[in-house]
Amino acid sequence: MFRFLVRRVLGAMVILLIISAVTFWLFYAIPRDPAMMSCGKNCTPDMLKQVRHNLGIDHPVPVQYWYWLKGLFVGRSYGDFGNCNAPCLGYSFANREPVLGTILDRLPLTLSLAFGSAVVFLVFGVGTGMIAAVKQGKWQDKVASSASLIGSSLQIYFVGYIAMYFLVAKLGVLDNPSYTPITDNPLDWASGLLLPWLVLALIWTANYTRMTRSQLVETLTEDYVRTARAKGLSRRNVFFRFAWRGAMGPIVTIFGIDLGTLIGGAMITETVFSLQGVGRLAVDAVNKSDLPMVLGVTLLSAGAIVLFNIVVDAVYALIDPRIRLA
């Protein structure tokens, strides 16, 4: 297990390094001058030159990338703008603030949105899929399959605005989406994010219903499941002890990727509900050509996906006894 985790962590570091290098290179294909944006309206040539020097963008691109990498471990100075302590993800061109501090300020909202919605769509999606698999061919299966087909075709930017109009503006049954730290007031925290949770769950539940049903239907026909049933074990015992555990592997894999994506920033969701999380931060950074912020959010998203994939692989053996990590 230890050797496996070491290999995966080293592989993850290589992947993140490649992603950062590609993002850095692609940014400079955009014909915009971030120094001009940071300098302001009354910018003179001398001021522009000084801003480029302070931001470190007066060097060739490979040199800039090297300085950025070195800043992760030893920090970096940005002249008149100030210092950025390690681990330094850069200095925002637009906000003139360290990237890491800005991301950490926005991260609690994104984490709340991701984990809250994940709990809802995982419970309802897997539960509905289990019912559909057990009642295969019956009306429960047909209703669940039809509902999941409709739900998977919906889009967040459509459902979100419709839900905002009816549930908030028209009927007033839910609060307008907002964020209150859970440490300040747990009830306000939950009520402010309830609508985004429900909208995300409506769409993602459909996918997990279909996945769970298909995996369970396939697993129930496996030889080891039929053997357990033939030995006299109850249907309930066979289902939860053998079939359910055997079907959860692919579902857990997809869940790890989905949760990592949500933590990396649900851009459309946060934009639709006007929530100032990491996803909205990424959108604003792209519009402003703010390379350090774009790079920081990209690494956060990629790192979250890679991390949860490692966790998923590590718990595979606990979920399915047929799998052993070498």
Side-chain angles (χ1 to χ4, degrees), residues 1 3 42 44 46 75 86 97 112-113 147 150 153-154 202 213 221 234 236 246 260 272 275 282 290 294 300 306-307:
M1 174 68 78
R3 294 177 59 187
N42 301 320
T44 64
D46 291 338
E97 295 178 351
S112 299
L113 183 64
I150 296 174
S153 64
L154 298 175
L202 175 64
R213 180 194 179 278
T221 62
S234 66
R236 180 187 183 90
V272 168
L275 297 172
D290 193 354
V294 172
L300 171 67
V306 171
L307 173 62

Side-chain angles (χ1 to χ4, degrees), residues 183-197:
T183 54
D184 293 349
N185 192 318
L187 291 179
D188 289 345
W189 170 79
S191 62
L193 295 176
L194 182 58
L195 182 58
W197 288 345

Side-chain angles (χ1 to χ4, degrees), residues 1-227:
M1 174 68 78
F2 178 75
R3 294 177 59 187
F4 166 78
L5 292 177
V6 170
R7 289 199 305 267
R8 290 304 305 269
V9 169
L10 292 177
M13 294 174 63
V14 173
I15 291 173
L16 294 178
L17 183 65
I18 295 174
I19 291 175
S20 66
V22 171
T23 305
F24 213 95
W25 179 79
L26 288 176
F27 177 83
Y28 283 95
I30 303 175
R32 295 181 66 178
D33 187 359
M36 182 64 72
M37 175 190 62
S38 183
C39 188
K41 295 181 179 180
N42 301 320
C43 187
T44 64
D46 291 338
M47 293 171 60
L48 185 61
K49 182 178 179 180
Q50 185 62 35
V51 169
R52 285 198 177 100
H53 178 71
N54 290 335
L55 294 176
I57 58 177
D58 55 344
H59 300 288
V61 175
V63 177
Q64 293 184 45
Y65 182 64
W66 166 247
Y67 285 156
W68 181 83
L69 282 178
K70 189 168 68 172
L72 291 175
F73 303 97
V74 299
R76 188 174 174 185
S77 174
Y78 286 90
D80 297 337
F81 292 161
N83 297 322
C84 179
N85 298 324
C88 178
L89 290 177
Y91 201 86
S92 172
F93 295 164
N95 302 331
R96 293 194 176 188
E97 295 178 351
V99 170
L100 182 60
T102 305
I103 291 178
L104 292 179
D105 288 340
R106 302 286 190 95
L107 190 57
L109 188 156
T110 301
L111 290 176
S112 299
L113 183 64
F115 283 105
S117 60
V119 169
V120 177
F121 69 67
L122 192 62
V123 170
F124 283 95
V126 173
T128 306
M130 290 170 60
I131 294 174
V134 172
K135 302 294 184 179
Q136 184 181 1
K138 299 181 180 180
W139 68 268
Q140 295 96 329
D141 180 25
K142 295 178 181 179
V143 170
S145 299
S146 301
S148 65
L149 182 63
I150 296 174
S152 61
S153 64
L154 298 175
Q155 297 297 326
I156 186 68
Y157 52 80
F158 172 76
V159 179
Y161 286 123
I162 296 296
M164 286 274 289
Y165 175 74
F166 283 103
L167 299 180
V168 177
K170 197 75 173 178
L171 301 177
V173 295
L174 292 178
D175 294 336
N176 195 53
S178 61
Y179 175 70
T180 301
I182 190 173
T183 54
D184 293 349
N185 192 318
L187 291 179
D188 289 345
W189 170 79
S191 62
L193 295 176
L194 182 58
L195 182 58
W197 288 345
L198 294 177
V199 173
L200 278 172
L202 175 64
I203 297 173
W204 291 55
T205 293
N207 297 328
Y208 281 85
T209 298
R210 292 190 297 111
M211 283 192 298
T212 303
R213 180 194 179 278
S214 62
Q215 289 297 323
L216 278 173
V217 168
E218 180 180 350
T219 305
L220 287 170
T221 62
E222 295 284 348
D223 291 338
Y224 72 94
V225 175
R226 291 202 299 264
T227 301

Side-chain angles (χ1 to χ4, degrees), residues 258-281:
D258 291 342
L259 185 57
T261 303
L262 286 173
I263 292 176
M267 299 180 185
I268 298 178
T269 305
E270 293 178 4
T271 302
V272 168
F273 295 108
S274 300
L275 297 172
Q276 300 298 321
V278 175
R280 185 63 179 270
L281 181 64

